[in-house]
Structures are given as structure tokens and as C-alpha cells.
Amino acid sequence: MGRSKKPLPLLEGVVIEAVAAEGKCLFHWQELVVFVPFCVPGDVCDVQLRRKKHSFAEGEVVRFIKYSDVRATPFCRHFGICGGCKWQNLPYEEQLRAKHQQVYDQLHRIGKIELPEFRPILGSVKTQEYRNKLDFGCANKRYLTKEEMLSLPPATDGASAKDVPAIGFHVTGAFDKILPIDKCWLMDDLHNQIRNEIRDYALEQGLSFFDLRAQKGLLRDVIIRNSQSGEWMVIIQFHYDETGGEQEAMKLLQHVADKFPQITSLMYLDNQKCNDTISDQDIMTFKGQDHIFELMEDLRFKVGPKSFYQTNTEQAYHLYSVARELAGLTGKEMVYDLYTGTGTIANFVARNAQQVIGIEYVPEAIEDAKINSEINHIDNTLFYAGDMKDILTDDFIAVHGRPDVIITDPPRAGMHPDVVKTILRAAPERIVYVSCNPATQARDLHDMDADYGVACVQPVDMFPHTPHVENVVLLVRR
């Protein structure tokens, strides 16, 4: 018979000391660092430890004794349950300070390289309704808080009061349940009206919501996008597994189309996979076009249902402006834009370069990138689709020419070691490294340090009320 675990203690009257990673805060206890969510530095509270390791512990606040003077009032009623905006209780100025420090710490601690003085972090133009895309899951069982569970009436006729369908966000630790969202503040309010109307219609008509465990149910996922051009895209993901399921889906789509004439691109798909990703799915157009257009300076960018586009449109302009500035283009340079997506950066800098070559993994994105060049009358870009480490080779460079400048904007995992080695052999004069993860950026900077020195660091906040931060680094060949 195994030994029972010793209960973890309740720590009374602790003082939260500082902001930590992943939106948590920390304090010290018995030579351990204790990480706690949903609090701010200066809070005095009782913390129940939930997990204890050799060098750290994790806990949760069970009672606030005194709130910190450094605290904001969360504006969303879902704060503390939905994990999307973990820093709503932290004033925006403090968020920026913490993000700037995060970049500084990771570049110094992981990169272990010589760094210049950082530029002040660029705060977001908007701190509410700043996103142009949101993805909502649909589930046959809504997530319930502990208080809601205790207040439920007893089950009758084999049915449980907790088995209520919902459209909203996934909650950490409850992969098969959805937190129902009535109002999200991250996007223009029309998206709330669209999502809630889909929910209400589905409930009134008795449509089934997806059961992730059983892999059945009609209504599976809703993606909503908008743009500065005033266009709206809605993608409803279905799972046809019942007689008449497709007909019911068409009725729902028609209802949404009639109710919201603002939607310029209404699309749908039947996803029979075990996950909700749509990159490998056929997406059909029910109404309007199969794309919307985004605007940046005097450029128009086509955004399709599978296209990646920075989700904070206004701040993306400032991010790309920094990248263009640091590239130092004079009109004579050969530029490689790695991880180009739909060619936003490539087309954004093309008029300042002699030639721009963009490389991206997703073929559909590359087709959009080519179209984006055409509609903006840009004729000095070339785009290639494929795995970066397979496309960007010495032979590729020999055919297309050695780059004077490389702009790279990789995913959170950073650049593959083979890509880093090829960049070093290509030996451009300047590298502009745009990153959504300063930790992997720091690793890559360390690997390039023998050949390139860091000349400029510019943090940029793209996602207010979250711990995420973008960072732009200029590397100059030694």
C-alpha cells in the first residue's frame, strides 16, 4: 500500500513580490519561489499550495487580506476563469514595464551575449477591441465554476444540469468543456452579437453541440475575423454525423447571413478529424467572397480563411515599421523575408528594396502573398512554399543571389538550427529578427553571436492584458 501524500500547507498573510512568467506573480517561501496566478505585486493574501517541487511551488489565492495599490479593476466578468487576459488586474503601464523586463531578462539570461541599451517598449494603440480574429469552441458541456457546481440542482431522469451546451473559450485543465462567453472585450462588439446569435439559434432549433470525447455533434467551432476595410469573415466548423446534419447546417448559415448583412465572407467546413485545425481542410463559401482585405499604409492585403495575419492590426503596422526602419534599405538591397506568411512584411518593404524573396511553409499563404504583390502593383517580389530548412539552402542562395538583408519572423519555436547555419553561410550585412518568443530568440542570437552583434533591441506589445510580447532585434555582421 502506497504512502499517502502529506497535505500541502496554507500560507497565511503572504506578500506578493513581483510579476513572473506566463502571467503569474511570485513570492518566496522557505527558499522556494512560489508562483501564483491572478494577483499583483503588493497584494497581501492567503495562498494554498497546490504543487511543490525541489526549487519552486505553485499555489492559488484563497483569500485577499489587502489589495495592492498597484492594481486595476478587471473590466471583463470572465476574468479569473478565462485564461485569455491574465493581466487585466495590472495597470497597463505596469504590464509594459513587466514585458520590457521579460525581454531584458531572457536576452541576458538565455542569450548570454553583449547587448545595447534597449529602446522603450512600444505600447499598443488600443488596449480593448484590438484583435481582428477570435476562435470560439463549441461543446455539449459548459465549464462550471466550483460555486456553480455546488448550486446545481440534483440530476433528474439521468440528465445532469451541468450538461448545457456552450460557445466560448477552452479553460485550462478542462479540454472537453467550454466556458460560455457572452461578451469578450478583445474585438469589435459585432463579433459578440454574431457568436451569441449562433448560440441562440442552435439552442432554439435543438442543434447538437460537439462532444470532444465521443467525437460527435454538429456545431464544432466558430472563427470570426474583421479588417480595417470594414469587412467581416465568419467560418463555422461543423461535424456531420447525423441524418439531416448538413441540411441543418445550411439553415444555420442562411440564418446568420440574413441576420448579419455586414458579413462579407461567410464560410463553412465539415471537419471529421479529432482536432479543430483547418489548414488541411476544404473550406466552402456560403455567401460573399472567400477572403477579406486588410489595409496597411497604402497597401491592401488579401486574407483568406487559412491566412496568418497579425491579430492586432494597428500595432502590426508599428511592428513592421520598426522592422523596415532597422533593415536600413536604400533601394539597392536583395532582401530575404523568412516565414513570410501572406507576404505582409515582404510587400511592406518591397518598395525600399531591389528584390524581396519570401519563403513560407503554407502553400495557400504563398498564393495569397503573390496575389498581394499583384493587387499592390509590386513586381520585385518572389515567393516560395516549403519547409524553411528544405527551401533555404546553399543552392537556393546560389541561384537567387546572396541576401544583403534577411528579415526573419519565425513561429514561437524559433528558427531550426539548419536555418541558422544557412543564414550564417549566406552572411548578409544585416538581420532583422522579429520574434513572438524572446526566449527562443535569445537562443538563436546566442548561436549567431560569433558572426553577428546585436545593434538594436525594440520590444513591442501586441497583446495587452496578456504576458505575450514581441521583440525586434537588429543584428549586424561583425
Side-chain angles (χ1 to χ4, degrees), residues 367-417:
E367 292 308 309
D368 283 347
K370 293 175 181 178
I371 292 172
N372 287 332
S373 288
E374 291 176 8
I375 63 179
N376 289 291
H377 309 293
I378 296 171
D379 58 7
N380 62 333
T381 56
L382 293 172
F383 294 101
Y384 295 90
D387 193 307
M388 187 64 62
K389 63 181 173 51
D390 298 330
I391 296 291
L392 186 67
T393 63
D394 295 337
D395 290 342
F396 182 92
I397 293 171
V399 170
H400 294 88
R402 187 181 73 84
D404 302 296
V405 176
I406 285 181
I407 301 174
T408 180
D409 186 4
R412 290 191 62 80
M415 295 191 292
H416 190 280

